[in-house]
Amino acid sequence: MLPFTLHPVGDSALLAVFEQRIAPEIGTAVAALNARVQAAAIPGVGETVPAFASLMITYDPLVMDYDTVAAALQKLATSPGAANTAETGRLVTIPVCYGGAFGPDLPFVAKHAGLTEQEVIALHAGRDYRIYMLGFLPGFPYLGGLDERLFTPRLPTPRTAIPAGAVGIGGEQTGIYPIASPGGWQLIGRTPLKLFDPAAGTLPYAAGDRIRFTPITQAEFDALAQKEGTV
């Protein structure tokens, strides 16, 4: 497993910090350590919060102290097979209707890339994306692996309202707005799926999983939206 350093976070958490850059191998290492921590069921350890290049682990200080948790993490990282652990996560397919009213910024993204709109769609839907972390909004997945040709700057002035399910590009990343929100990413499509259920607090994916976008027609969007109750 890639090396990391440990740092206290208050009196009930610690942070495992890997090399500070966004890269597939670092995301894989974070996911691998996260999986090992969850599987180990260390007494007193609670929630884990993976990010681009770090993993925060919370613990109950009445059950476990910092030094004991830190030692347990180091043992997990150096145990047999740790260096070969490759957490690929689940593959979650997200249907997307690209362009038109669902993707008002698709023409700009295409022009910025020097491509046609169909070429942008083919590139965006032509690969799987790792979820590095969830943040900004409940269930907003920050996805790594966007084709460099689709790197597009954020809007100079963010929109005050973006519909739930909007799929966008912001700089070197792509992501999905799971709930209605302001935002400054370039919108290229929308999924009819209900990704975040506030009542149940559920999501169809987690950090470390992979997302694959599948283009659909507006008729298919309408049918799925009716079924999902997202009309």
Side-chain angles (χ1 to χ4, degrees):
M1 181 175 292
L2 296 178
F4 59 85
T5 56
L6 294 174
H7 307 272
V9 180
D11 62 356
S12 60
L14 74 167
L15 191 69
V17 180
F18 293 83
E19 183 182 351
Q20 292 297 284
R21 59 189 178 91
I22 300 174
E25 63 272 19
I26 294 177
T28 297
V30 171
L33 181 60
N34 187 39
R36 282 178 169 260
V37 170
Q38 293 180 348
I42 303 168
V45 168
E47 182 182 12
T48 58
V49 184
F52 286 113
S54 64
L55 176 68
M56 187 173 75
I57 300 98
T58 64
Y59 61 91
D60 184 345
L62 299 178
V63 177
M64 187 76 77
D65 61 27
Y66 172 87
D67 290 336
T68 305
V69 177
L73 288 179
Q74 294 289 7
K75 184 176 180 180
L76 288 175
T78 57
S79 61
N84 298 321
T85 301
E87 293 296 326
T88 58
R90 299 170 299 161
L91 178 61
V92 180
T93 300
I94 304 292
V96 177
C97 187
Y98 288 93
F102 296 131
D105 300 320
L106 180 60
F108 176 81
V109 173
K111 182 178 180 180
H112 183 269
L115 302 169
T116 67
E117 293 182 21
Q118 286 303 316
E119 287 172 332
V120 170
I121 294 170
L123 286 173
H124 189 261
R127 58 177 59 191
D128 298 342
Y129 300 89
R130 171 179 287 279
I131 303 177
Y132 280 107
M133 61 180 287
L134 303 177
F136 167 56
L137 295 170
F140 186 100
Y142 285 89
L143 305 177
L146 183 66
D147 190 294
E148 292 184 3
R149 288 169 287 182
L150 300 184
F151 291 180
T152 312
R154 293 168 173 79
L155 297 173
T157 301
R159 292 182 172 91
T160 58
I162 290 176
V167 175
I169 291 175
E172 300 178 7
Q173 293 181 286
T174 185
I176 314 168
Y177 289 82
I179 60 176
S181 165
W185 289 28
Q186 305 279 355
L187 305 184
I188 61 172
R190 192 188 311 169
T191 179
L193 299 184
K194 186 175 184 179
L195 298 178
F196 177 64
D197 184 346
T202 57
L203 288 164
Y205 47 70
D209 288 343
R210 292 167 296 136
I211 282 181
R212 177 179 298 168
F213 295 110
T214 301
I216 59 173
T217 65
Q218 183 166 346
E220 291 171 320
F221 180 99
D222 293 341
L224 278 172
Q226 187 71 36
K227 181 180 179 181
E228 292 279 313
T230 56
V231 177

